Amino acid sequence: MREVEARYLGKLGFELVARHGRIGEDTTSFEPGLSWAELEEMGFKLRLCELERGAVNIVIQPGQWELPRVDHLGLVLDDDELATALERAVERELRVQEHGGRRTFVTTKAGYRLELHPPREWIDDLLAGSDVLRLAELQMRADDPAAKASALVELLDLPGETNGTVEIGDTIVRFVPGGPQGRPELHAELFI
């Protein structure tokens, strides 16, 4: 967990937004400024760590796997695209979880979720800068790349997948073979 966090902070220039977890029975969050040693002294148990750079937001969680797995992909859709995607999810009897109007999760039948966002001013502000970091390609190892890619194509009404590859706007999402069942493993990412 700490190695993954250190990679995003040190090598890729992300900023720590917050570390979320518990001390005893109390849920708590810490913004940057406290070291891991200080958090351990307080008895802090990490639930997740949020990192950000430009328009890219990464949330990492401790897990039982040696390599990081992808729980969900976050996407910003315009109002019509969002409404249509949610209609498709309901038609396909996919689980839809809304969290206070801020974000909506759709559970695919392919082992991962989509976090769908409507347009928001703060998101537009993130995307407006000339030095904005963008995700150009995301590669994930999966047991069935075509099925993982098809879940995106069907829900978002995208052009068909080719060999586990889907284009979403300017970003390529590629599922490559050799991964585990369920949640795909993070294999590679290309930022521009």
Side-chain angles (χ1 to χ4, degrees), residues 77-93:
L77 305 175
D78 70 29
D79 289 325
D80 291 338
E81 292 170 330
L82 180 62
T84 303
L86 293 176
E87 286 174 19
R88 276 194 207 93
V90 170
E91 287 170 6
R92 289 168 174 74
E93 298 180 355

Side-chain angles (χ1 to χ4, degrees), residues 163-188:
N163 296 325
T165 300
V166 179
E167 288 185 40
I168 303 174
D170 295 333
T171 302
I172 294 171
V173 176
R174 189 179 320 268
F175 295 92
V176 297
Q181 288 185 330
R183 292 180 183 169
E185 285 177 348
L186 178 61
H187 181 64

Side-chain angles (χ1 to χ4, degrees), residues 72-76 103-106 113-117:
H72 66 274
L73 304 174
L75 303 164
V76 177
R103 57 192 182 156
T104 302
F105 286 96
V106 176
R113 302 181 301 160
L114 297 178
E115 179 180 357
L116 305 178
H117 292 269

Side-chain angles (χ1 to χ4, degrees), residues 3-45:
E3 289 174 17
V4 173
E5 179 190 85
R7 175 181 174 265
Y8 282 102
L9 293 173
K11 286 189 174 186
L12 299 174
F14 278 71
E15 294 181 16
L16 176 64
V17 175
R19 292 180 182 123
H20 306 277
R22 301 180 89 70
I23 295 178
E25 296 298 317
D26 298 325
T27 302
T28 187
S29 296
F30 292 97
E31 294 181 1
L34 290 176
S35 69
W36 278 109
E38 291 170 308
L39 292 172
E40 284 175 351
E41 253 180 57
M42 290 187 260
F44 180 73
K45 300 291 182 204

Side-chain angles (χ1 to χ4, degrees), residues 1 4 7-8 47-49 57-74 110-113 138-144 148 175-176 178-189:
M1 172 70 195
V4 173
R7 175 181 174 265
Y8 282 102
R47 185 176 66 82
L48 62 88
C49 177
N57 180 268
I58 304 281
V59 176
I60 51 179
Q61 293 178 273
Q64 61 195 16
W65 306 287
E66 184 177 330
L67 296 173
R69 300 261 185 117
V70 176
D71 173 72
H72 66 274
L73 304 174
Y112 63 93
R113 302 181 301 160
L138 176 65
Q139 293 183 13
M140 296 171 282
R141 290 182 50 211
D143 62 323
D144 187 348
K148 303 282 193 227
F175 295 92
V176 297
Q181 288 185 330
R183 292 180 183 169
E185 285 177 348
L186 178 61
H187 181 64
E189 59 218 335

Side-chain angles (χ1 to χ4, degrees), residues 100-143:
R102 288 190 39 213
R103 57 192 182 156
T104 302
F105 286 96
V106 176
T107 302
T108 69
K109 293 180 180 174
Y112 63 93
R113 302 181 301 160
L114 297 178
E115 179 180 357
L116 305 178
H117 292 269
R120 292 200 182 88
E121 191 174 304
W122 65 269
I123 294 173
D124 293 338
D125 291 345
L126 282 176
L127 299 172
S130 61
D131 63 341
V132 170
L133 181 73
R134 295 178 188 267
L135 182 62
E137 185 168 340
L138 176 65
Q139 293 183 13
M140 296 171 282
R141 290 182 50 211
D143 62 323

